[in-house]
Each structure stands twice: as structure tokens, then as C-alpha cells.
Amino acid sequence: CAHASLPKSRGTGLDETLPGAGPSCNHVDEVWPNLFLGDQATAANRYGLWKMGITHVLNAAHGTMFCQGCHDFYGTTIDYHGVPAYDLPDFNISQFFFSAAEYIHKALSTPGAKILIHCVVGISRSASLVLAYLMIHHHLSLVKAIQTVKEHRWISPNRGFLKQLRNLDLQLQQERGC
Ligand SMILES: *[C@@H]1O[C@H](CO)[C@@H](O)[C@H](O)[C@H]1NC(C)=O
């Protein structure tokens, strides 16, 4: 994370004005109750996941060269869902918005469930799927969803993904008649 060395400036008002000066360049952060957004290192650490109590993993970099944690890796203790997305502005990630949101929603409806959503760094692909989930199932606007996640983790969906999330925002607003 490029902003890891920025000093904390709590109480000075700078948190709001300095880009990236907010919380977190951690491997993983809980950005919504029982919903963890993280990187490949987190996903590859089965003991760490067990200690965190993770029951579900959504890998937004499924099948790419960085994918170590595929289905067989987790055995029967963790439910795995792979989304084969590439972190390129032209990649159509919107085709996965609803299916990924549905998976997250179902997972979190299970009592005691905790889900890790990750890609390689945990700021673009996986973050976009978390934003889509918050918009689809919790009726947050895109701006509100970004603000909510950014309270806990620095995220940076690529510009193409942001455009697709904006389209989702418009689509949902129209469907809800507001
Ligand atoms: C992305 O995929 C969705 C669902 O398959 C499709 O409706 C949409 O037209 C695609 N968008 C682009 C820009 O190809």
C-alpha cells in the first residue's frame, strides 16, 4: 500500500483531506459486520482464517496466476466461491455484481458466518464486489458504500470498475424509483 507511511493525523481534520490518510493498509479489515476485505496473503493462510473464524471465502481473482486458494485448498471447512475477474478497466466485472452479492448475502444469512472477500491486494476487484453487495442488498448509494468501506480500509477500484459501479447505482436508483 503506497500510503502506508503517512502519519496518522487524528483530530486535525487531515484524515478527510489527505487521500489515503485514513485507516488501514492491513492485509485484511472488517469493513461491514462479519465481512472481511483482504489480500491474497490472508486467503492463503488457512490457520489465520481459522483463527478469524472465516466460514466463507469469495476469491475475486479466481483462476488467475495468483490463485493459490482455489476450492480444494480449503477442504470442507470453508465454503469457496470463485469469481474469475481481471483487474483491467476494460474487464466486465459487472457481469458478476449480482451473483457475487447473492453469494455474500446467503453466506451472511448463515448464523455465525464470517466471509473473506479477497483478490490479490484487496483494493480493486474484491472491493468492487463488496461495494456492489452493499448497494444491492443494503440499498446504499455508491458514494455511501465507498464512504462506509473507506472508514475501515483504503480501497481503489480501477476507473473502469468505478464506471460500472456508477451504472449499477443508476440502474438500482431507477428500479427503486428514486
Ligand atoms: C457486461 O456483462 C453484462 C452481463 O453479462 C452485460 O449485460 C453487459 O452488456 C456487459 N457490458 C459490457 C460493456 O460489455
Side-chain angles (χ1 to χ4, degrees), residues 74-100:
Y74 296 110
T76 52
T77 51
I78 287 180
D79 196 278
Y80 176 85
H81 182 74
V83 170
Y86 290 85
D87 190 16
L88 301 168
D90 287 339
F91 182 82
N92 186 350
I93 197 169
S94 72
Q95 63 185 306
F96 300 114
F97 283 166
F98 284 89
S99 55

Side-chain angles (χ1 to χ4, degrees), residues 34-36 54 56-58 103-104 107-108 113-117:
N34 300 318
L35 192 164
F36 295 77
I54 295 293
H56 294 70
V57 167
L58 192 168
Y103 179 77
I104 297 168
L108 291 180
K114 287 186 182 178
I115 186 167
L116 169 70
I117 296 143

Side-chain angles (χ1 to χ4, degrees), residues 123-144:
I123 63 172
S124 181
R125 279 172 284 198
S126 52
S128 297
L129 296 182
V130 169
L131 294 172
Y133 162 73
L134 294 176
M135 292 159 69
I136 292 167
H137 282 285
H138 295 280
H139 298 195
L140 269 55
S141 66
L142 175 57
V143 168
K144 183 71 192 154

Side-chain angles (χ1 to χ4, degrees), residues 61-77:
H62 175 83
T64 66
M65 61 194 252
F66 292 104
C67 177
Q68 293 148 8
C70 295
H71 202 285
D72 292 345
F73 179 75
Y74 296 110
T76 52
T77 51

